[in-house]
Amino acid sequence: MAETQTSRFPIYAVIATVVFKLLFLLTHYIQEDAFITWRVAQNLLDYGVIGFNGDTKISASTTHLYVFVSYVFNLIFGKEYFIEPLLIFNSILFTIGTLFLSHLVLKNPWHKAIFIFLIGILPPSIKISILGMEYGILFFLEMSLLYYGFNKGKKWVVTILPILIMFTRIDTVIFLGIVFLVDLFWNKKIRWNYVFSGMLGILLTVAFNWFYFGELVNNTITAKKLLYEQQFTFGQHLNYFLISFGNFWGMLKVPGDFNPITIVVLIFELLCFIYLIRQREKRNYFLWMIFIFGWVKQIIFLSQKSLFDWYYWVPQLLLFVPVLIFVLEQKERRNLWLSLLIVFYIFPMLVFQTIHCIATGNGEWNYRRSIGVFLNQYEKDKNQWILLEPAGYIPYFSGLKTIDEVGLVDKQIQEEIKKDKTNYWINTVKARKPKYLLSYQNLYEGENSEYYKNHYKLLKEFRVKDHLKSDHKILEKIYNLKPSGTDYNLYIKVE
């Protein structure tokens, strides 16, 4: 009986971790891009089309599978109430994924339980769970593949899950490729069903893009490459990589180009990994998979100047796994090691992430969302257009048709970028004549100021400083400690 109770500790840890992270839902910190995916899902619900602006097809979301999952949640709970259930669903799936991971690398149920909780309260885990992105589902699928497919030998898992993983995000070809190479090196044979499944996953994803959208890769990839791509020398590439390394490789961002905390943690991760693989345990097979994947994905994305946090969440966690194993399996003074890790790293990171969630949640939900709510009430004709950036909160809550500066949700602006990258904004305004312009800048100043003065009037100014107050003094101090958001000017076309 006691042994049965002990074996259930990891399950109890999953429940405790999910319940603990429910508290972060109170911060209303939801990633901007989540609302792009959710609007696509609602567009599918309303128009029967995967798109962003009515019956126009466009792959505005980076993930196909999560669009369909979001569609189902909208269908079940309704547009007004689906968000919280979906976020809880994401958190549950992610935490179950950490359970599978604990089974792969640990034997003792107590160690598994502690592992699940501690890795579950690190900053990337909190963000995966509550920010509304597809990474909760993705982590669950990836860990299910490793646990049931490669550990338990379930052939149907090896055959089906790579397809679902690829359909979630096309860049998961990196994860699937690393798993294949480590498995080939380790077992000296090819799992042909895995190879065929991976190839089928790529083929189906590309075929879906081509036959539905008329493109090989998601529009989001094409748009970002078109706008952000620049020509660099090797020295500039290297310098850019080193600058970005400090704030994206590790879990903690600090002002400036150099982050000593990232360096220290990286060295400790490497030392723990080397220590563990020298023990020649069966789990080394999976340690090699997750550790190589963590390094390779981060190097690839940093070298490509992909400066979006969510690309690095999963690698950050997986690279930290050897540290937790090393501490939990100490034969002597384990409690001391564990206490030091919690006091000097995990708890400070939890405090940092809590403050970050509160401050950013205020900037996104209380401030940026309010702009969308204002427009929703002010403009009743939802066929009117707005030109802005970014395309998440404000289009979602305003309901207006949207042209975004990057071209994630509107392909026509990409043609203007191709023709004249320097002046594409004003050229888009002249060609498309959107009723609303939302800009970070004062459009009445600068070389095109006369055009804006003649054709648009300032409707309202939105300022971050107006949303830094709270009835709760602690919250107000956090808001002012880390003001989140951008000042906007909203212009309306003169008829």
Side-chain angles (χ1 to χ4, degrees):
M1 182 66 178
E3 188 175 333
T4 303
Q5 282 293 108
T6 303
S7 66
R8 291 177 181 169
F9 284 156
I11 303 297
Y12 299 151
V14 168
I15 297 170
T17 306
V18 171
V19 170
F20 179 81
K21 283 191 286 190
L22 289 179
L23 294 171
F24 286 88
L25 296 180
L26 299 174
T27 67
H28 294 293
Y29 178 24
I30 301 174
Q31 181 63 42
E32 182 88 25
D33 287 55
F35 285 100
I36 297 178
T37 297
W38 295 342
R39 172 146 163 174
V40 172
Q42 292 178 358
N43 199 87
L44 178 60
L45 192 66
D46 294 337
Y47 296 92
V49 170
I50 301 174
F52 198 86
N53 293 310
D55 57 6
T56 303
K57 295 178 181 179
I58 186 170
S59 53
S61 173
T62 55
T63 169
H64 294 321
L65 181 63
Y66 191 48
V67 166
F68 291 118
V69 171
S70 300
Y71 169 86
V72 171
F73 271 78
N74 271 274
L75 204 59
I76 295 171
F77 295 98
K79 294 180 182 179
E80 298 295 326
Y81 304 105
F82 82 95
I83 293 180
E84 285 77 12
L86 181 55
L87 297 181
I88 294 170
F89 177 72
N90 288 342
S91 185
I92 291 171
L93 284 189
F94 169 76
T95 311
I96 293 173
T98 64
L99 171 67
F100 294 156
L101 179 57
S102 74
H103 290 330
L104 294 173
V105 297
L106 293 165
K107 297 175 182 177
N108 187 307
W110 263 111
H111 293 171
K112 292 178 183 180
I114 297 171
F115 174 91
I116 291 165
F117 185 75
L118 292 184
I119 202 170
I121 62 173
L122 287 170
S125 300
I126 294 170
K127 288 184 278 191
I128 289 172
S129 299
I130 69 160
L131 263 65
M133 300 286 279
E134 65 271 16
Y135 287 94
I137 293 174
L138 183 60
F139 189 79
F140 170 78
L141 291 173
E142 290 175 339
M143 293 305 109
S144 297
L145 174 65
L146 295 185
Y147 180 64
Y148 286 107
F150 287 84
N151 184 56
K152 295 289 187 181
K154 304 291 185 183
K155 291 184 178 181
W156 68 269
V157 172
V158 175
T159 304
I160 294 175
L161 288 195
I163 299 171
L164 293 177
I165 290 170
M166 280 294 301
F167 207 63
T168 305
R169 287 190 66 92
I170 200 165
D171 57 35
T172 53
V173 68
I174 300 171
F175 173 81
L176 296 174
I178 295 298
V179 170
F180 168 75
L181 291 173
V182 172
D183 180 64
L184 177 62
F185 177 82
W186 197 270
N187 295 310
K188 305 295 189 295
K189 63 178 182 180
I190 297 176
R191 294 181 192 249
W192 288 109
N193 59 334
Y194 180 66
V195 173
F196 291 139
S197 177
M199 293 174 63
L200 185 60
I202 295 172
L203 182 63
L204 288 176
T205 303
V206 172
F208 179 78
N209 283 339
W210 180 255
F211 289 109
Y212 193 85
F213 300 109
E215 58 196 15
L216 292 176
V217 297
N218 293 41
N219 175 68
T220 53
I221 298 172
T222 305
K224 290 173 184 176
K225 184 177 181 182
L226 179 63
L227 185 63
Y228 297 139
E229 191 172 49
Q230 300 180 50
Q231 297 298 320
F232 287 100
T233 64
F234 176 77
Q236 289 173 323
H237 274 296
L238 183 61
N239 184 57
Y240 206 100
F241 181 91
L242 294 174
I243 290 172
S244 304
F245 167 80
N247 279 328
F248 287 96
W249 192 283
M251 301 179 196
L252 178 67
K253 288 186 177 182
V254 296
D257 299 338
F258 179 69
N259 189 339
I261 298 174
T262 296
I263 303 296
V264 172
V265 174
L266 181 147
I267 293 172
F268 195 47
E269 288 171 346
L270 271 172
L271 292 175
C272 290
F273 175 72
I274 293 169
Y275 172 84
L276 292 174
I277 60 172
R278 291 183 65 184
Q279 297 176 1
R280 300 187 180 278
E281 295 273 353
K282 179 185 175 182
R283 69 182 174 200
N284 289 3
Y285 173 56
F286 298 106
L287 284 177
W288 277 109
M289 287 180 181
I290 65 176
F291 208 73
I292 293 175
F293 165 69
W295 271 78
V296 170
K297 181 172 182 182
Q298 299 214 138
I299 288 173
I300 290 174
F301 275 74
L302 281 173
S303 65
Q304 294 301 307
K305 303 169 191 65
S306 302
L307 306 184
F308 298 100
D309 281 0
W310 48 91
Y311 296 140
Y312 306 94
W313 292 342
V314 173
Q316 286 169 1
L317 286 177
L318 295 181
L319 290 176
F320 198 73
V321 167
V323 175
L324 289 173
I325 299 171
F326 172 79
V327 171
L328 289 169
E329 293 188 345
Q330 286 298 305
K331 296 289 190 294
E332 298 179 4
R333 299 183 177 179
R334 178 173 55 240
N335 291 340
L336 176 61
W337 277 94
L338 188 57
S339 299
L340 291 173
L341 179 65
I342 292 172
V343 171
F344 290 103
Y345 189 78
I346 292 180
F347 181 72
M349 295 297 278
L350 177 61
V351 172
F352 160 78
Q353 187 58 42
T354 302
I355 293 172
H356 179 72
C357 285
I358 293 171
T360 310
N362 177 63
E364 297 288 3
W365 187 263
N366 294 336
Y367 171 55
R368 207 193 301 265
R369 182 180 66 97
S370 70
I371 302 174
V373 172
F374 169 81
L375 279 164
N376 183 58
Q377 296 171 347
Y378 184 85
E379 179 57 70
K380 301 305 179 184
D381 181 3
K382 301 309 175 185
N383 287 315
Q384 295 296 338
W385 290 82
I386 182 171
L387 172 59
L388 49 61
E389 176 62 27
Y393 274 88
I394 298 168
Y396 182 88
F397 286 100
S398 70
L400 297 175
K401 291 192 173 181
T402 302
I403 310 166
D404 68 302
E405 292 180 4
V406 181
L408 300 181
V409 304
D410 181 88
K411 279 190 175 182
Q412 291 184 52
I413 197 172
Q414 294 177 24
E415 298 305 314
E416 296 294 346
I417 295 172
K418 291 174 185 176
K419 287 188 288 187
D420 186 355
K421 198 170 185 177
T422 303
N423 299 302
Y424 81 94
W425 214 90
I426 181 63
N427 291 341
T428 299
V429 173
K430 290 179 179 179
R432 305 278 295 277
K433 297 178 174 58
K435 184 172 182 179
Y436 296 97
L437 306 176
L438 187 67
S439 176
Y440 306 128
Q441 301 170 349
N442 182 353
L443 297 182
Y444 292 163
E445 298 176 354
E447 61 176 311
N448 298 303
S449 59
E450 287 304 312
Y451 178 87
Y452 291 121
K453 288 177 183 177
N454 291 333
H455 295 87
Y456 287 88
K457 71 174 182 179
L458 180 65
L459 178 61
K460 188 173 176 63
E461 295 178 339
F462 297 93
R463 297 294 179 260
V464 174
K465 63 181 177 62
D466 297 332
H467 289 77
L468 299 179
K469 293 181 173 59
S470 173
D471 294 334
H472 303 282
K473 292 302 178 184
I474 294 177
L475 290 180
E476 187 170 317
K477 287 182 179 179
I478 292 174
Y479 296 162
N480 284 276
L481 175 67
K482 188 185 178 298
S484 180
T486 309
D487 290 341
Y488 287 103
N489 296 316
L490 178 62
Y491 300 86
I492 186 171
K493 187 171 65 173
V494 177
E495 298 297 339

